Each structure stands twice: as structure tokens, then as C-alpha cells.
Amino acid sequence: MLPRALRPVIRCSALSLRRLTFKKCVMNRVSVTPVVINIFHRCRMLSTPPPMVNESHLSMEEYHSLADKAMEDLLAAMEDLVELRGEADQEVDYHTGVLTLNLGHSGTYVINKQPPNKQIWLSSPISGPKRYNFHEETKRWVYSRDDRTLDELLSEELSTIFKEQIKISL
């Protein structure tokens, strides 16, 4: 249950919180100090990073060729991984451009092509969602926020899950 002082703040929109310029605000007959409002506003502002715009110079044909090869390589690596080291509740599925790696109690990875943005999207049970762009100089799929490649991240996370060294190469 929320403290009484925060209930009115939660009901306020982010826009109305940004417009507060005076020292004390009375909402729904409860006084809320700016400190509480600033804490709520800062938490909300830091929860989601701003979008990053990356312009790809690949043609649509080049994108599909590169992304299809990456997806095929990932499918082969994931199938081998589950076949050699997996348990009964783990499986790999690839349909209509969406690769799903279900690792049972460890979570599910979803990897798919995103043609409008010319990206490959990853949803990881460990690191969350990421969007990878093809880096033409290195010829690798790179997440622009931390400059890590798709295969590096998957190798690290799958090594943690399987408790042994896993190497994914694209």
C-alpha cells in the first residue's frame, strides 16, 4: 500500500508534475511537498532511456540477406546447444522470422528481424530488450547503447545459464 502522501502524486500525470513551479502543491486536499514530487519525477524520468535513432545505409535486399544469415546461424547454434546440453523442457522454435529459445525455468529468448528499422531485436530474460544494427565496418550486429555484439551477449548469458563456456558466432 502506498503512503498517503504519494497517492495524489501517482494520480497526477507526468506533464502536470513537470509544470509544478511553486513550493507546495495541494492535490485532492492533501499537501505534497516538492521533494516527494521531485523524487517521483526523477524515478519516472530515469526508468526508460531516451530512444536512439540509427540510420542504416543498407539497402533492403542487403539487410534481408545479412539478417537471414544471422538468423540461420543463430538457429543452428541454438539447436546444437539444446540438443547437446539442454534439458527436456528446453526447445528452439523458428517461425515466420521469429526465433524462440525456451529454456524452461531460465526464461525465454525471442530474436526477430525488424525490417522497417533494418534491425534484429532481442528479448532476453536476463538483460531485457535490445535492438541490434548491422555495423558495416566490423560486419557484426551491434547494440548502440553499449557497443556489444549480439553474439557476445548471447555467449555470455547462455554461458551463465548453462554454467559452462558457450560460444555463439555470427
Side-chain angles (χ1 to χ4, degrees), residues 130-157:
K130 297 190 183 300
R131 298 175 180 190
Y132 290 87
N133 297 295
F134 188 76
H135 195 264
E136 295 179 60
E137 289 82 32
T138 62
K139 307 288 186 217
R140 300 179 80 186
W141 292 94
V142 179
Y143 181 55
S144 59
R145 291 191 189 275
D146 62 8
D147 288 328
R148 292 186 66 196
T149 64
L150 176 59
D151 50 347
E152 287 172 355
L153 180 80
L154 286 172
S155 295
E156 180 184 308
E157 290 186 6

PDB file of all heavy atoms in Angstrom, residues 130-157:
ATOM      1  N   LYS A 130      16.665  -5.524 -26.536  1.00  0.00           N
ATOM      2  CA  LYS A 130      17.759  -4.800 -27.188  1.00  0.00           C
ATOM      3  C   LYS A 130      17.507  -4.800 -28.690  1.00  0.00           C
ATOM      4  O   LYS A 130      16.919  -5.733 -29.228  1.00  0.00           O
ATOM      5  CB  LYS A 130      19.108  -5.455 -26.889  1.00  0.00           C
ATOM      6  CG  LYS A 130      19.458  -5.420 -25.402  1.00  0.00           C
ATOM      7  CD  LYS A 130      20.886  -5.853 -25.172  1.00  0.00           C
ATOM      8  CE  LYS A 130      21.240  -5.889 -23.708  1.00  0.00           C
ATOM      9  NZ  LYS A 130      21.129  -4.644 -23.016  1.00  0.00           N
ATOM     10  N   ARG A 131      18.004  -3.756 -29.347  1.00  0.00           N
ATOM     11  CA  ARG A 131      17.844  -3.611 -30.798  1.00  0.00           C
ATOM     12  C   ARG A 131      19.225  -3.500 -31.434  1.00  0.00           C
ATOM     13  O   ARG A 131      19.984  -2.592 -31.119  1.00  0.00           O
ATOM     14  CB  ARG A 131      17.028  -2.365 -31.115  1.00  0.00           C
ATOM     15  CG  ARG A 131      15.641  -2.434 -30.545  1.00  0.00           C
ATOM     16  CD  ARG A 131      14.892  -1.161 -30.748  1.00  0.00           C
ATOM     17  NE  ARG A 131      13.553  -1.294 -30.184  1.00  0.00           N
ATOM     18  CZ  ARG A 131      12.596  -0.422 -30.358  1.00  0.00           C
ATOM     19  NH1 ARG A 131      12.814   0.654 -31.073  1.00  0.00           N
ATOM     20  NH2 ARG A 131      11.417  -0.625 -29.825  1.00  0.00           N
ATOM     21  N   TYR A 132      19.528  -4.422 -32.328  1.00  0.00           N
ATOM     22  CA  TYR A 132      20.859  -4.510 -32.926  1.00  0.00           C
ATOM     23  C   TYR A 132      20.850  -3.997 -34.362  1.00  0.00           C
ATOM     24  O   TYR A 132      20.004  -4.374 -35.164  1.00  0.00           O
ATOM     25  CB  TYR A 132      21.351  -5.955 -32.898  1.00  0.00           C
ATOM     26  CG  TYR A 132      21.677  -6.407 -31.495  1.00  0.00           C
ATOM     27  CD1 TYR A 132      20.693  -6.932 -30.673  1.00  0.00           C
ATOM     28  CD2 TYR A 132      22.957  -6.264 -30.982  1.00  0.00           C
ATOM     29  CE1 TYR A 132      20.981  -7.319 -29.376  1.00  0.00           C
ATOM     30  CE2 TYR A 132      23.254  -6.640 -29.685  1.00  0.00           C
ATOM     31  CZ  TYR A 132      22.256  -7.163 -28.890  1.00  0.00           C
ATOM     32  OH  TYR A 132      22.540  -7.534 -27.605  1.00  0.00           O
ATOM     33  N   ASN A 133      21.823  -3.147 -34.667  1.00  0.00           N
ATOM     34  CA  ASN A 133      22.034  -2.617 -36.014  1.00  0.00           C
ATOM     35  C   ASN A 133      23.265  -3.277 -36.607  1.00  0.00           C
ATOM     36  O   ASN A 133      24.224  -3.582 -35.883  1.00  0.00           O
ATOM     37  CB  ASN A 133      22.264  -1.104 -35.960  1.00  0.00           C
ATOM     38  CG  ASN A 133      21.055  -0.368 -35.432  1.00  0.00           C
ATOM     39  OD1 ASN A 133      20.010  -0.374 -36.051  1.00  0.00           O
ATOM     40  ND2 ASN A 133      21.199   0.243 -34.267  1.00  0.00           N
ATOM     41  N   PHE A 134      23.260  -3.434 -37.922  1.00  0.00           N
ATOM     42  CA  PHE A 134      24.424  -4.011 -38.577  1.00  0.00           C
ATOM     43  C   PHE A 134      25.493  -2.933 -38.708  1.00  0.00           C
ATOM     44  O   PHE A 134      25.264  -1.860 -39.254  1.00  0.00           O
ATOM     45  CB  PHE A 134      24.060  -4.580 -39.953  1.00  0.00           C
ATOM     46  CG  PHE A 134      25.179  -5.346 -40.571  1.00  0.00           C
ATOM     47  CD1 PHE A 134      25.490  -6.623 -40.121  1.00  0.00           C
ATOM     48  CD2 PHE A 134      25.933  -4.793 -41.584  1.00  0.00           C
ATOM     49  CE1 PHE A 134      26.536  -7.337 -40.675  1.00  0.00           C
ATOM     50  CE2 PHE A 134      26.982  -5.500 -42.152  1.00  0.00           C
ATOM     51  CZ  PHE A 134      27.283  -6.771 -41.693  1.00  0.00           C
ATOM     52  N   HIS A 135      26.675  -3.226 -38.167  1.00  0.00           N
ATOM     53  CA  HIS A 135      27.803  -2.299 -38.201  1.00  0.00           C
ATOM     54  C   HIS A 135      28.644  -2.670 -39.413  1.00  0.00           C
ATOM     55  O   HIS A 135      29.269  -3.724 -39.442  1.00  0.00           O
ATOM     56  CB  HIS A 135      28.602  -2.428 -36.893  1.00  0.00           C
ATOM     57  CG  HIS A 135      29.544  -1.319 -36.663  1.00  0.00           C
ATOM     58  ND1 HIS A 135      30.875  -1.390 -37.011  1.00  0.00           N
ATOM     59  CD2 HIS A 135      29.355  -0.092 -36.115  1.00  0.00           C
ATOM     60  CE1 HIS A 135      31.469  -0.262 -36.678  1.00  0.00           C
ATOM     61  NE2 HIS A 135      30.570   0.538 -36.138  1.00  0.00           N
ATOM     62  N   GLU A 136      28.656  -1.812 -40.407  1.00  0.00           N
ATOM     63  CA  GLU A 136      29.271  -2.146 -41.691  1.00  0.00           C
ATOM     64  C   GLU A 136      30.797  -2.293 -41.626  1.00  0.00           C
ATOM     65  O   GLU A 136      31.362  -3.081 -42.379  1.00  0.00           O
ATOM     66  CB  GLU A 136      28.867  -1.113 -42.740  1.00  0.00           C
ATOM     67  CG  GLU A 136      27.361  -1.163 -42.998  1.00  0.00           C
ATOM     68  CD  GLU A 136      26.897  -0.140 -44.001  1.00  0.00           C
ATOM     69  OE1 GLU A 136      27.387  -0.193 -45.147  1.00  0.00           O
ATOM     70  OE2 GLU A 136      26.049   0.682 -43.630  1.00  0.00           O
ATOM     71  N   GLU A 137      31.454  -1.566 -40.718  1.00  0.00           N
ATOM     72  CA  GLU A 137      32.907  -1.672 -40.620  1.00  0.00           C
ATOM     73  C   GLU A 137      33.337  -3.014 -40.021  1.00  0.00           C
ATOM     74  O   GLU A 137      34.304  -3.619 -40.468  1.00  0.00           O
ATOM     75  CB  GLU A 137      33.490  -0.527 -39.763  1.00  0.00           C
ATOM     76  CG  GLU A 137      33.426   0.841 -40.434  1.00  0.00           C
ATOM     77  CD  GLU A 137      32.068   1.491 -40.295  1.00  0.00           C
ATOM     78  OE1 GLU A 137      31.381   1.268 -39.266  1.00  0.00           O
ATOM     79  OE2 GLU A 137      31.669   2.207 -41.222  1.00  0.00           O
ATOM     80  N   THR A 138      32.628  -3.455 -38.980  1.00  0.00           N
ATOM     81  CA  THR A 138      33.006  -4.710 -38.315  1.00  0.00           C
ATOM     82  C   THR A 138      32.243  -5.913 -38.846  1.00  0.00           C
ATOM     83  O   THR A 138      32.560  -7.046 -38.502  1.00  0.00           O
ATOM     84  CB  THR A 138      32.763  -4.608 -36.796  1.00  0.00           C
ATOM     85  OG1 THR A 138      31.370  -4.389 -36.561  1.00  0.00           O
ATOM     86  CG2 THR A 138      33.589  -3.500 -36.184  1.00  0.00           C
ATOM     87  N   LYS A 139      31.202  -5.658 -39.639  1.00  0.00           N
ATOM     88  CA  LYS A 139      30.341  -6.720 -40.198  1.00  0.00           C
ATOM     89  C   LYS A 139      29.668  -7.542 -39.093  1.00  0.00           C
ATOM     90  O   LYS A 139      29.564  -8.760 -39.181  1.00  0.00           O
ATOM     91  CB  LYS A 139      31.132  -7.657 -41.118  1.00  0.00           C
ATOM     92  CG  LYS A 139      31.895  -6.964 -42.205  1.00  0.00           C
ATOM     93  CD  LYS A 139      30.980  -6.428 -43.268  1.00  0.00           C
ATOM     94  CE  LYS A 139      31.769  -5.864 -44.431  1.00  0.00           C
ATOM     95  NZ  LYS A 139      31.177  -4.697 -45.005  1.00  0.00           N
ATOM     96  N   ARG A 140      29.224  -6.847 -38.033  1.00  0.00           N
ATOM     97  CA  ARG A 140      28.579  -7.523 -36.902  1.00  0.00           C
ATOM     98  C   ARG A 140      27.331  -6.760 -36.488  1.00  0.00           C
ATOM     99  O   ARG A 140      27.198  -5.571 -36.754  1.00  0.00           O
ATOM    100  CB  ARG A 140      29.559  -7.621 -35.730  1.00  0.00           C
ATOM    101  CG  ARG A 140      30.809  -8.424 -36.139  1.00  0.00           C
ATOM    102  CD  ARG A 140      31.805  -8.529 -35.077  1.00  0.00           C
ATOM    103  NE  ARG A 140      31.385  -9.592 -34.161  1.00  0.00           N
ATOM    104  CZ  ARG A 140      32.005  -9.850 -33.036  1.00  0.00           C
ATOM    105  NH1 ARG A 140      33.034  -9.149 -32.664  1.00  0.00           N
ATOM    106  NH2 ARG A 140      31.589 -10.821 -32.260  1.00  0.00           N
ATOM    107  N   TRP A 141      26.430  -7.453 -35.786  1.00  0.00           N
ATOM    108  CA  TRP A 141      25.212  -6.846 -35.260  1.00  0.00           C
ATOM    109  C   TRP A 141      25.534  -6.268 -33.885  1.00  0.00           C
ATOM    110  O   TRP A 141      25.891  -6.997 -32.968  1.00  0.00           O
ATOM    111  CB  TRP A 141      24.089  -7.885 -35.184  1.00  0.00           C
ATOM    112  CG  TRP A 141      23.656  -8.315 -36.548  1.00  0.00           C
ATOM    113  CD1 TRP A 141      24.102  -9.383 -37.254  1.00  0.00           C
ATOM    114  CD2 TRP A 141      22.715  -7.641 -37.388  1.00  0.00           C
ATOM    115  NE1 TRP A 141      23.497  -9.432 -38.483  1.00  0.00           N
ATOM    116  CE2 TRP A 141      22.630  -8.371 -38.594  1.00  0.00           C
ATOM    117  CE3 TRP A 141      21.937  -6.491 -37.251  1.00  0.00           C
ATOM    118  CZ2 TRP A 141      21.795  -7.992 -39.637  1.00  0.00           C
ATOM    119  CZ3 TRP A 141      21.101  -6.118 -38.288  1.00  0.00           C
ATOM    120  CH2 TRP A 141      21.033  -6.857 -39.473  1.00  0.00           C
ATOM    121  N   VAL A 142      25.401  -4.939 -33.742  1.00  0.00           N
ATOM    122  CA  VAL A 142      25.859  -4.216 -32.557  1.00  0.00           C
ATOM    123  C   VAL A 142      24.700  -3.446 -31.914  1.00  0.00           C
ATOM    124  O   VAL A 142      23.902  -2.806 -32.603  1.00  0.00           O
ATOM    125  CB  VAL A 142      26.990  -3.225 -32.925  1.00  0.00           C
ATOM    126  CG1 VAL A 142      27.461  -2.440 -31.710  1.00  0.00           C
ATOM    127  CG2 VAL A 142      28.151  -3.951 -33.581  1.00  0.00           C
ATOM    128  N   TYR A 143      24.631  -3.510 -30.581  1.00  0.00           N
ATOM    129  CA  TYR A 143      23.678  -2.719 -29.800  1.00  0.00           C
ATOM    130  C   TYR A 143      24.339  -1.376 -29.530  1.00  0.00           C
ATOM    131  O   TYR A 143      25.382  -1.303 -28.870  1.00  0.00           O
ATOM    132  CB  TYR A 143      23.344  -3.455 -28.499  1.00  0.00           C
ATOM    133  CG  TYR A 143      22.349  -2.759 -27.613  1.00  0.00           C
ATOM    134  CD1 TYR A 143      21.097  -2.390 -28.085  1.00  0.00           C
ATOM    135  CD2 TYR A 143      22.652  -2.492 -26.288  1.00  0.00           C
ATOM    136  CE1 TYR A 143      20.173  -1.768 -27.258  1.00  0.00           C
ATOM    137  CE2 TYR A 143      21.727  -1.876 -25.452  1.00  0.00           C
ATOM    138  CZ  TYR A 143      20.492  -1.519 -25.949  1.00  0.00           C
ATOM    139  OH  TYR A 143      19.584  -0.903 -25.126  1.00  0.00           O
ATOM    140  N   SER A 144      23.765  -0.291 -30.011  1.00  0.00           N
ATOM    141  CA  SER A 144      24.432   1.007 -29.984  1.00  0.00           C
ATOM    142  C   SER A 144      24.571   1.615 -28.593  1.00  0.00           C
ATOM    143  O   SER A 144      25.412   2.483 -28.390  1.00  0.00           O
ATOM    144  CB  SER A 144      23.712   1.989 -30.912  1.00  0.00           C
ATOM    145  OG  SER A 144      22.373   2.140 -30.513  1.00  0.00           O
ATOM    146  N   ARG A 145      23.794   1.195 -27.618  1.00  0.00           N
ATOM    147  CA  ARG A 145      23.904   1.779 -26.273  1.00  0.00           C
ATOM    148  C   ARG A 145      25.147   1.318 -25.513  1.00  0.00           C
ATOM    149  O   ARG A 145      25.660   2.045 -24.679  1.00  0.00           O
ATOM    150  CB  ARG A 145      22.662   1.461 -25.450  1.00  0.00           C
ATOM    151  CG  ARG A 145      21.437   2.176 -25.956  1.00  0.00           C
ATOM    152  CD  ARG A 145      20.311   2.035 -24.966  1.00  0.00           C
ATOM    153  NE  ARG A 145      19.071   2.516 -25.518  1.00  0.00           N
ATOM    154  CZ  ARG A 145      18.685   3.780 -25.499  1.00  0.00           C
ATOM    155  NH1 ARG A 145      19.450   4.679 -24.942  1.00  0.00           N
ATOM    156  NH2 ARG A 145      17.542   4.133 -26.029  1.00  0.00           N
ATOM    157  N   ASP A 146      25.612   0.095 -25.786  1.00  0.00           N
ATOM    158  CA  ASP A 146      26.797  -0.388 -25.071  1.00  0.00           C
ATOM    159  C   ASP A 146      27.872  -0.950 -26.010  1.00  0.00           C
ATOM    160  O   ASP A 146      28.893  -1.438 -25.546  1.00  0.00           O
ATOM    161  CB  ASP A 146      26.415  -1.427 -24.015  1.00  0.00           C
ATOM    162  CG  ASP A 146      25.775  -2.675 -24.593  1.00  0.00           C
ATOM    163  OD1 ASP A 146      25.747  -2.837 -25.834  1.00  0.00           O
ATOM    164  OD2 ASP A 146      25.290  -3.506 -23.805  1.00  0.00           O
ATOM    165  N   ASP A 147      27.645  -0.877 -27.311  1.00  0.00           N
ATOM    166  CA  ASP A 147      28.594  -1.347 -28.331  1.00  0.00           C
ATOM    167  C   ASP A 147      28.946  -2.821 -28.206  1.00  0.00           C
ATOM    168  O   ASP A 147      30.023  -3.246 -28.631  1.00  0.00           O
ATOM    169  CB  ASP A 147      29.874  -0.501 -28.332  1.00  0.00           C
ATOM    170  CG  ASP A 147      29.625   0.887 -28.894  1.00  0.00           C
ATOM    171  OD1 ASP A 147      28.767   1.022 -29.781  1.00  0.00           O
ATOM    172  OD2 ASP A 147      30.288   1.844 -28.433  1.00  0.00           O
ATOM    173  N   ARG A 148      28.047  -3.606 -27.625  1.00  0.00           N
ATOM    174  CA  ARG A 148      28.269  -5.058 -27.561  1.00  0.00           C
ATOM    175  C   ARG A 148      27.547  -5.711 -28.733  1.00  0.00           C
ATOM    176  O   ARG A 148      26.499  -5.268 -29.165  1.00  0.00           O
ATOM    177  CB  ARG A 148      27.732  -5.616 -26.248  1.00  0.00           C
ATOM    178  CG  ARG A 148      28.550  -5.114 -25.060  1.00  0.00           C
ATOM    179  CD  ARG A 148      28.153  -5.752 -23.786  1.00  0.00           C
ATOM    180  NE  ARG A 148      28.467  -7.177 -23.835  1.00  0.00           N
ATOM    181  CZ  ARG A 148      27.960  -8.054 -22.978  1.00  0.00           C
ATOM    182  NH1 ARG A 148      27.129  -7.678 -22.049  1.00  0.00           N
ATOM    183  NH2 ARG A 148      28.287  -9.313 -23.062  1.00  0.00           N
ATOM    184  N   THR A 149      28.129  -6.814 -29.200  1.00  0.00           N
ATOM    185  CA  THR A 149      27.516  -7.507 -30.331  1.00  0.00           C
ATOM    186  C   THR A 149      26.500  -8.534 -29.833  1.00  0.00           C
ATOM    187  O   THR A 149      26.544  -8.964 -28.677  1.00  0.00           O
ATOM    188  CB  THR A 149      28.578  -8.208 -31.194  1.00  0.00           C
ATOM    189  OG1 THR A 149      29.203  -9.219 -30.420  1.00  0.00           O
ATOM    190  CG2 THR A 149      29.600  -7.210 -31.720  1.00  0.00           C
ATOM    191  N   LEU A 150      25.624  -8.907 -30.736  1.00  0.00           N
ATOM    192  CA  LEU A 150      24.584  -9.884 -30.427  1.00  0.00           C
ATOM    193  C   LEU A 150      25.193 -11.214 -30.006  1.00  0.00           C
ATOM    194  O   LEU A 150      24.783 -11.808 -28.998  1.00  0.00           O
ATOM    195  CB  LEU A 150      23.679 -10.067 -31.655  1.00  0.00           C
ATOM    196  CG  LEU A 150      22.576 -11.103 -31.593  1.00  0.00           C
ATOM    197  CD1 LEU A 150      21.611 -10.801 -30.450  1.00  0.00           C
ATOM    198  CD2 LEU A 150      21.826 -11.157 -32.915  1.00  0.00           C
ATOM    199  N   ASP A 151      26.197 -11.686 -30.735  1.00  0.00           N
ATOM    200  CA  ASP A 151      26.795 -12.976 -30.384  1.00  0.00           C
ATOM    201  C   ASP A 151      27.580 -12.924 -29.072  1.00  0.00           C
ATOM    202  O   ASP A 151      27.587 -13.892 -28.312  1.00  0.00           O
ATOM    203  CB  ASP A 151      27.650 -13.539 -31.524  1.00  0.00           C
ATOM    204  CG  ASP A 151      28.653 -12.555 -32.102  1.00  0.00           C
ATOM    205  OD1 ASP A 151      28.570 -11.353 -31.815  1.00  0.00           O
ATOM    206  OD2 ASP A 151      29.530 -13.006 -32.861  1.00  0.00           O
ATOM    207  N   GLU A 152      28.205 -11.782 -28.751  1.00  0.00           N
ATOM    208  CA  GLU A 152      28.894 -11.650 -27.457  1.00  0.00           C
ATOM    209  C   GLU A 152      27.914 -11.755 -26.292  1.00  0.00           C
ATOM    210  O   GLU A 152      28.169 -12.462 -25.309  1.00  0.00           O
ATOM    211  CB  GLU A 152      29.619 -10.299 -27.357  1.00  0.00           C
ATOM    212  CG  GLU A 152      30.863 -10.169 -28.181  1.00  0.00           C
ATOM    213  CD  GLU A 152      31.405  -8.738 -28.170  1.00  0.00           C
ATOM    214  OE1 GLU A 152      30.766  -7.825 -27.601  1.00  0.00           O
ATOM    215  OE2 GLU A 152      32.479  -8.537 -28.749  1.00  0.00           O
ATOM    216  N   LEU A 153      26.806 -11.026 -26.402  1.00  0.00           N
ATOM    217  CA  LEU A 153      25.811 -11.036 -25.325  1.00  0.00           C
ATOM    218  C   LEU A 153      25.210 -12.426 -25.143  1.00  0.00           C
ATOM    219  O   LEU A 153      25.109 -12.924 -24.026  1.00  0.00           O
ATOM    220  CB  LEU A 153      24.698 -10.017 -25.593  1.00  0.00           C
ATOM    221  CG  LEU A 153      23.633  -9.984 -24.511  1.00  0.00           C
ATOM    222  CD1 LEU A 153      24.105  -9.174 -23.315  1.00  0.00           C
ATOM    223  CD2 LEU A 153      22.346  -9.438 -25.041  1.00  0.00           C
ATOM    224  N   LEU A 154      24.827 -13.061 -26.251  1.00  0.00           N
ATOM    225  CA  LEU A 154      24.237 -14.406 -26.150  1.00  0.00           C
ATOM    226  C   LEU A 154      25.247 -15.406 -25.589  1.00  0.00           C
ATOM    227  O   LEU A 154      24.885 -16.244 -24.757  1.00  0.00           O
ATOM    228  CB  LEU A 154      23.730 -14.867 -27.513  1.00  0.00           C
ATOM    229  CG  LEU A 154      22.449 -14.193 -27.997  1.00  0.00           C
ATOM    230  CD1 LEU A 154      22.163 -14.578 -29.443  1.00  0.00           C
ATOM    231  CD2 LEU A 154      21.272 -14.550 -27.102  1.00  0.00           C
ATOM    232  N   SER A 155      26.506 -15.312 -26.014  1.00  0.00           N
ATOM    233  CA  SER A 155      27.534 -16.220 -25.482  1.00  0.00           C
ATOM    234  C   SER A 155      27.669 -16.063 -23.975  1.00  0.00           C
ATOM    235  O   SER A 155      27.717 -17.051 -23.233  1.00  0.00           O
ATOM    236  CB  SER A 155      28.884 -15.942 -26.152  1.00  0.00           C
ATOM    237  OG  SER A 155      28.831 -16.241 -27.522  1.00  0.00           O
ATOM    238  N   GLU A 156      27.715 -14.816 -23.516  1.00  0.00           N
ATOM    239  CA  GLU A 156      27.866 -14.557 -22.081  1.00  0.00           C
ATOM    240  C   GLU A 156      26.654 -15.048 -21.281  1.00  0.00           C
ATOM    241  O   GLU A 156      26.806 -15.735 -20.272  1.00  0.00           O
ATOM    242  CB  GLU A 156      28.061 -13.059 -21.847  1.00  0.00           C
ATOM    243  CG  GLU A 156      28.227 -12.688 -20.389  1.00  0.00           C
ATOM    244  CD  GLU A 156      28.326 -11.190 -20.205  1.00  0.00           C
ATOM    245  OE1 GLU A 156      29.153 -10.568 -20.892  1.00  0.00           O
ATOM    246  OE2 GLU A 156      27.571 -10.662 -19.372  1.00  0.00           O
ATOM    247  N   GLU A 157      25.466 -14.694 -21.732  1.00  0.00           N
ATOM    248  CA  GLU A 157      24.264 -15.066 -20.979  1.00  0.00           C
ATOM    249  C   GLU A 157      24.009 -16.569 -20.999  1.00  0.00           C
ATOM    250  O   GLU A 157      23.643 -17.153 -19.976  1.00  0.00           O
ATOM    251  CB  GLU A 157      23.048 -14.306 -21.511  1.00  0.00           C
ATOM    252  CG  GLU A 157      23.099 -12.837 -21.183  1.00  0.00           C
ATOM    253  CD  GLU A 157      21.837 -12.086 -21.566  1.00  0.00           C
ATOM    254  OE1 GLU A 157      20.844 -12.717 -22.005  1.00  0.00           O
ATOM    255  OE2 GLU A 157      21.837 -10.844 -21.426  1.00  0.00           O
TER     256      GLU A 157
END
